Amino acid sequence: MKLHTINSVRIMMLVAATCGIVFFWWSGNRTPAPWTDRESALIASIWLGNLPSLPPDPSNAVADDPRAARLGHRLFFDTRLSINGEIACATCHQPTRQFTDGLPVGEAIDRAKRNTPSIIGAAYSPWQYWDGRKDSLWAQALSPLEDAAEHGGNRMSYARLISSDPHYQKEYTKLFGMAPDFSDPERFPVNAGPVGNPEWQAAWDAMDEEDRALVNGVFANIGKLIAAYERKLIPGPARFDAYAETVMAGQGHEEQDLFSEEEIRGLRLFMGEARCMECHNGPLLTNSEFHNTGLLPPTGQVPDRGRSRIIAELNSDPFNCLGSFSDAEAGQCEELTYMRTGVELIGAMKTPSLRNLEDTAPYMHKGQFMTLSRVLEHYNEAPLALIGHNEAEPLGLNRRQLAQIEAFLHTLFAPPAVEEKWLHPPPLFPEASASSATLQSR
Amino acid sequence: MQFRLFLVSMLILLAPQPLPLYAHGSVTAEDDLCIIRIGFYRAHFKIFQPGSSGQTEFCEDIPNTGESIFVMEYLHQELGNVPVEFRIIHDVTGLGRFARLEDVRQIDDIDAATVFYQAPAVESDVFTVLHEFEENGDYLGIVTARHPDRDEYYQAVFPFKVGFTGFGILPLFLILLIATQLAYWFTSGGYSRRKKNAKSKTFDHSIQAPVAGKIMQVLLLLPLAALLLGASAPADERWTSDGGSYQVSYNTELSPLVINDIHQWTVHVETTTGNPVTDARLLVSGGMPTHDHGLPTSPRVTENLGNGDYLVEGMRFHMMGDWEITIEIHQGERSETVVIPLTL
């Protein structure tokens, strides 16, 4: 009898313990609370369906000309736009990787200074580069062509390519009128440009003012053509966007099978406690603004001064919106005209979009982090900035919560909503030259 | 009493540490900031050793050899316009912490003692250099900056150690500190007081909880209401300036206001009696008070539209949440400020 009592006590204890464990497991995993009206509104605010149509670029008259996009497509993949004939824009901006290269920093002629950003959706941003030192896609496209670590060439040789290649010359003429004749070696040296190589600089300085302007004009148009192509690269709807539609249709968590509970919790943290949406807002998950988030520089480097270093340069850039190669009226350059300065910009870099994270590691401006979980740990910790002030504050989230945010971030991934042809090198020229044939074999 | 004891122990604890409290030479501690003075210039001075100490900030002495980043954040704007030179030498004066500028000037061959030299460079707001120390020891840092107009130079000297003796007696001190605190707490009846407090606290809670819940509910509903209504300002809403002379209202090109879109405002200024103010000069700024940052643009008044209306161009918001737009109104001798709160 006594033995029987002990046994039943044991059994009861066992049942109680099991119930306890089951309850603990259930309470941690039970269906999350439904979205509040405020949360639903925030979800709608980052839904891709709310992305406005592409903003016009008044500084680029051919921005939305299909002929310019076709020619820009060709230029984007043309390795002749480099000092050694091996580097094209697509060398680092690879279509198969959401137009990035999978490296901490770009590698072309030499090692570049920063991480290669994706181009998808870039046409929506008023600023290009991590530090926003260019105010249009076309002005940006020019810089790498003359950067010694990237394409390594000079504007004289690029301009000559346009006027000498039969296909380029023909198509260029349709858009901008006949390109100048650069065949006179007295007026137009083989290599010349205002940056980089001292010999090219000397040759550039020796040229007539008007001749330099002719070269600059063709050079700027190369940028405008490439920009017209880049404007085709728009992000596509992701699993998150399908989920957002069910939320907007008023469906509860139970009725949808698009998002796991983990992802729902991650989304809630993303919009709330984790404060991600303060900067990663709008349908592209970026405010295109500049923030210091206290990242350590890679070994052997001083901290990157980011936005604050380039303000003066941006104002005096001959290819900016107010410059003589821009097609905009002065009143159309609002972003440049009302640009801010100040200590808040020390060490500040542009918020990147989060719609392409699957293929764009390593992350951050120097590719400091290989994985998303490291990025999230960094923001959770929000350490002291070496220079300037870290705008982020410690979040105090636990590992499980960080994993939930990461799960949500993966739901934002989607291939770009781009016609397939734009993602591959263009077909051979009708009048294919030898050099363009080598381009195709790459 | 207990607090005072704690304070005394903290002071003892901090004294032997290489913190700004112990700064010397041209580097001094002010308001918890490590400041370097170069003539009349001032800069926020800090050293980092990312490889060994991550994002820990040092004022002068650094714990390890290896990669060290010296940072000077200019507090004096003029410093951003003049060349600044940076040099690190072995402390050949043998004076250690007491080395001064005069002593450095007497060094015959400064180049022989130099371990790092950064030629004069103009940086707009922050100066950074990187040096990899190969050995522990006493060093002197020398910063030289030119006068903004004259051909005169200012210098600052700061002695520092590389590879100081680590934390020394810090762990022992911590144990001692905790033991002392605990002993004091027990003997002075802290334990029984805590027990009593705990009881009364639970009691308080049971009464306040429903009220607190209500307040929380209201607080949570407020931003919801704001969001649903959008941030479109009711056209007739007015704000009075701090001096009480002006009333200000605004209209936006974007209604409702949204983030990440540059747009224009029309600001209307009138006297409290309703007369439009047509000859004022307005300065527009703004920011998020809870985030400690400003607008992402520098908006300006570009046109006086007459009838007390002013066109403000270059407005943009880059975050959702609470914003404040500050408008300074200058009219003749008078200047007053109005703050317009808005929620996006």
Side-chain angles (χ1 to χ4, degrees):
Chain A
M1 195 61 193
K2 220 174 184 181
L3 195 72
H4 181 73
T5 320
I6 292 170
N7 265 344
S8 51
V9 169
R10 275 188 184 163
I11 289 167
M12 277 168 67
M13 279 170 71
L14 199 68
V15 169
T18 316
C19 286
I21 291 166
V22 168
F23 178 76
F24 183 75
W25 176 84
W26 174 82
S27 64
N29 285 282
R30 67 185 199 282
T31 308
W35 298 115
T36 62
D37 288 351
R38 179 163 203 277
E39 285 171 328
S40 300
L42 289 176
I43 290 171
S45 77
I46 54 173
W47 174 52
L48 193 64
N50 273 329
L51 184 70
S53 55
L54 199 56
D57 179 1
S59 71
N60 181 359
V62 299
D64 295 307
D65 190 316
R67 295 169 302 174
R70 279 200 300 276
L71 196 49
H73 180 208
R74 206 168 280 287
L75 288 165
F76 190 86
F77 285 88
D78 192 339
T79 54
R80 289 175 298 169
L81 291 173
S82 68
I83 186 65
N84 62 0
E86 289 176 15
I87 308 293
C89 304
T91 306
C92 293
H93 296 288
Q94 299 161 15
T96 51
R97 290 181 194 259
Q98 302 260 341
F99 293 84
T100 64
D101 54 10
L103 300 167
V105 295
E107 284 176 28
I109 299 288
D110 202 343
R111 188 165 293 190
K113 291 189 188 69
R114 299 212 182 107
N115 180 264
T116 306
S118 174
I119 301 173
I120 296 171
Y124 280 89
S125 177
W127 307 110
Q128 304 301 331
Y129 277 118
W130 281 99
D131 53 14
R133 66 180 179 275
K134 296 288 172 177
D135 66 344
S136 68
L137 278 178
W138 68 267
Q140 188 284 328
L142 301 174
S143 240
L145 297 175
E146 292 192 314
D147 188 314
E150 301 183 36
H151 298 242
N154 58 76
R155 61 189 67 176
M156 182 68 249
S157 65
Y158 299 140
R160 185 176 285 109
L161 175 70
I162 298 296
S163 66
S164 60
D165 177 282
H167 178 80
Y168 282 157
Q169 194 206 39
K170 193 173 106 203
E171 296 301 313
Y172 182 97
T173 306
K174 287 181 198 162
L175 288 156
F176 304 107
M178 188 76 160
D181 177 12
F182 296 124
S183 59
D184 180 356
E186 294 294 309
R187 287 170 61 201
F188 303 101
V190 180
N191 290 304
V195 291
N197 185 316
E199 279 174 37
W200 302 346
Q201 283 190 48
W204 180 256
D205 292 339
M207 284 169 67
D208 276 355
E209 181 88 40
E210 299 88 70
D211 288 347
R212 287 201 296 244
L214 290 177
V215 176
N216 277 338
V218 177
F219 187 49
N221 288 339
I222 291 176
K224 290 176 185 176
L225 295 166
I226 295 172
Y229 163 65
E230 291 176 328
R231 285 170 68 84
K232 299 283 178 199
L233 308 176
I234 302 300
R239 187 153 57 84
F240 160 76
D241 300 296
Y243 176 72
E245 282 160 33
T246 69
V247 173
M248 288 184 287
Q251 274 189 40
H253 292 323
E254 295 81 4
E255 301 147 46
Q256 60 84 27
D257 52 3
L258 286 159
F259 256 33
S260 71
E261 289 178 1
E262 188 87 345
E263 288 158 352
I264 290 171
R265 285 166 200 281
L267 171 55
R268 177 166 278 132
L269 286 164
F270 183 88
M271 298 188 296
E273 221 180 320
R275 304 176 60 177
C276 310
M277 257 183 89
E278 285 176 13
C279 299
H280 295 285
N281 54 30
L284 292 175
L285 282 313
T286 170
N287 58 3
S288 299
E289 260 304 315
F290 303 91
H291 302 282
N292 180 335
T293 58
L295 288 158
L296 277 183
T299 309
Q301 293 182 29
V302 295
D304 196 323
R305 283 171 57 208
R307 181 77 172 164
S308 86
R309 195 186 64 84
I310 58 85
I311 297 289
E313 190 184 313
L314 178 48
N315 269 321
S316 60
D317 187 341
F319 297 115
N320 72 20
C321 184
L322 293 165
S324 53
F325 301 99
S326 161
D327 301 317
E329 317 257 327
Q332 292 174 306
C333 304
E334 284 176 289
E335 290 286 356
L336 185 66
T337 309
Y338 304 104
M339 178 168 71
R340 72 170 156 159
T341 57
V343 291
E344 277 174 19
L345 298 176
I346 296 176
M349 297 288 179
K350 194 173 65 184
T351 313
S353 170
L354 302 179
R355 285 194 169 270
N356 44 33
L357 295 170
E358 215 97 326
D359 282 337
T360 56
Y363 305 107
M364 321 316 259
H365 64 273
K366 296 274 187 185
Q368 282 100 327
F369 301 134
M370 295 304 291
T371 61
L372 280 181
S373 60
R374 275 296 292 120
V375 177
L376 290 166
E377 277 169 30
H378 173 80
Y379 284 116
N380 197 31
E381 193 190 338
L384 192 74
L386 268 57
I387 56 168
H389 167 69
N390 187 350
E391 277 186 49
E393 287 166 17
L395 298 170
L397 301 176
N398 61 40
R399 296 209 150 267
R400 188 171 174 174
Q401 290 173 307
L402 296 181
Q404 289 165 345
I405 301 172
E406 191 178 339
F408 162 66
L409 292 177
H410 286 293
T411 71
L412 291 167
F413 177 79
V418 175
E419 268 180 77
E420 191 62 27
K421 65 172 179 185
W422 299 121
L423 299 175
H424 303 283
L428 278 174
F429 294 124
E431 57 273 55
S433 65
S435 47
S436 59
T438 48
L439 151 75
Q440 294 307 318
S441 68
R442 273 181 64 81
Chain B
M1 182 61 196
Q2 198 185 350
F3 175 70
R4 211 177 301 160
L5 181 71
F6 178 71
L7 206 69
V8 171
S9 346
M10 279 310 288
L11 282 177
I12 298 170
L13 183 73
L14 288 175
Q17 295 307 306
L19 290 174
L21 286 170
Y22 207 62
H24 37 76
S26 305
V27 176
T28 51
E30 292 172 28
D31 303 331
D32 283 342
L33 278 185
C34 190
I35 302 290
I36 187 165
R37 289 172 175 281
I38 315 142
F40 65 92
Y41 299 124
R42 288 162 77 245
H44 177 198
F45 184 83
K46 44 192 178 177
I47 311 172
F48 292 91
Q49 298 199 298
S52 50
S53 307
Q55 268 133 318
T56 310
E57 178 180 337
F58 300 97
C59 182
E60 287 193 318
D61 293 352
I62 43 180
N64 303 301
T65 54
E67 192 178 297
S68 310
I69 297 173
F70 292 75
V71 177
M72 289 190 288
E73 285 171 347
Y74 298 164
L75 298 173
H76 207 284
Q77 233 177 1
E78 282 295 342
L79 209 40
N81 304 324
V82 298
V84 175
E85 179 199 78
F86 194 95
R87 187 190 290 270
I88 300 170
I89 62 169
H90 281 293
D91 181 12
V92 287
T93 64
L95 294 167
R97 300 196 179 285
F98 303 102
R100 294 286 177 270
L101 190 56
E102 305 81 73
D103 309 313
V104 171
R105 292 211 170 119
Q106 282 166 18
I107 300 172
D108 294 331
D109 190 356
I110 200 155
D111 288 333
T114 298
V115 295
F116 174 83
Y117 178 69
Q118 164 70 54
V122 181
E123 303 283 359
S124 58
D125 42 26
V126 53
F127 184 95
T128 49
V129 291
L130 184 149
H131 177 62
E132 203 166 332
F133 286 97
E134 280 165 15
E135 47 184 345
N136 289 342
D138 288 322
Y139 293 88
L140 296 177
I142 306 160
V143 181
T144 311
R146 215 191 69 182
H147 186 278
D149 320 307
R150 293 195 294 272
D151 201 21
E152 261 172 51
Y153 291 84
Y154 297 111
Q155 275 193 319
V157 170
F158 60 95
F160 65 102
K161 278 182 196 300
V162 174
F164 61 80
T165 48
F167 293 109
I169 52 168
L170 177 64
L172 203 70
F173 232 104
L174 275 178
I175 293 167
L176 197 70
L177 176 74
I178 292 164
T180 325
Q181 288 281 11
L182 276 177
Y184 182 83
W185 188 55
F186 270 106
T187 52
S188 61
Y191 180 68
S192 47
R193 232 185 359 255
R194 189 194 157 89
K195 256 176 114 177
K196 234 192 264 166
N197 279 346
K199 261 185 204 158
S200 54
K201 248 183 205 152
T202 21
F203 183 63
D204 281 346
H205 240 274
S206 61
I207 293 177
Q208 284 175 1
V211 185
K214 280 265 155 41
I215 295 173
M216 279 303 287
Q217 255 177 3
V218 173
L219 283 180
L220 285 173
L221 281 172
L222 277 178
L224 168 65
L227 197 78
L228 292 178
L229 293 171
S232 54
D236 53 350
E237 202 167 346
R238 288 185 168 85
W239 290 268
T240 309
S241 57
D242 53 0
S245 312
Y246 304 106
Q247 289 199 98
V248 173
S249 57
Y250 72 94
N251 265 304
T252 80
E253 186 190 5
L254 282 180
S255 194
L257 282 173
V258 292
I259 53 168
N260 304 342
D261 206 345
I262 197 158
H263 62 280
Q264 306 174 349
W265 280 25
T266 306
V267 172
H268 179 75
V269 185
E270 56 185 36
T271 62
T272 37
T273 50
N275 294 323
V277 176
T278 54
D279 59 344
R281 197 165 58 85
L282 308 188
L283 292 178
V284 182
S285 61
M288 296 184 87
T290 54
H291 287 212
D292 199 23
H293 65 67
L295 284 168
T297 52
S298 308
R300 284 197 304 272
V301 171
T302 52
E303 201 182 336
N304 186 340
L305 302 169
N307 198 32
D309 288 338
Y310 300 84
L311 182 68
V312 179
E313 288 192 80
M315 293 293 293
R316 176 157 62 81
F317 302 97
H318 61 306
M319 287 187 191
M320 288 188 256
D322 294 328
W323 288 85
E324 277 179 3
I325 298 302
T326 306
I327 302 178
E328 282 177 44
I329 304 158
H330 299 272
Q331 190 188 20
E333 293 290 291
R334 185 183 290 155
S335 78
E336 294 186 13
T337 301
V338 62
V339 177
I340 303 174
L342 53 97
T343 303
L344 263 88

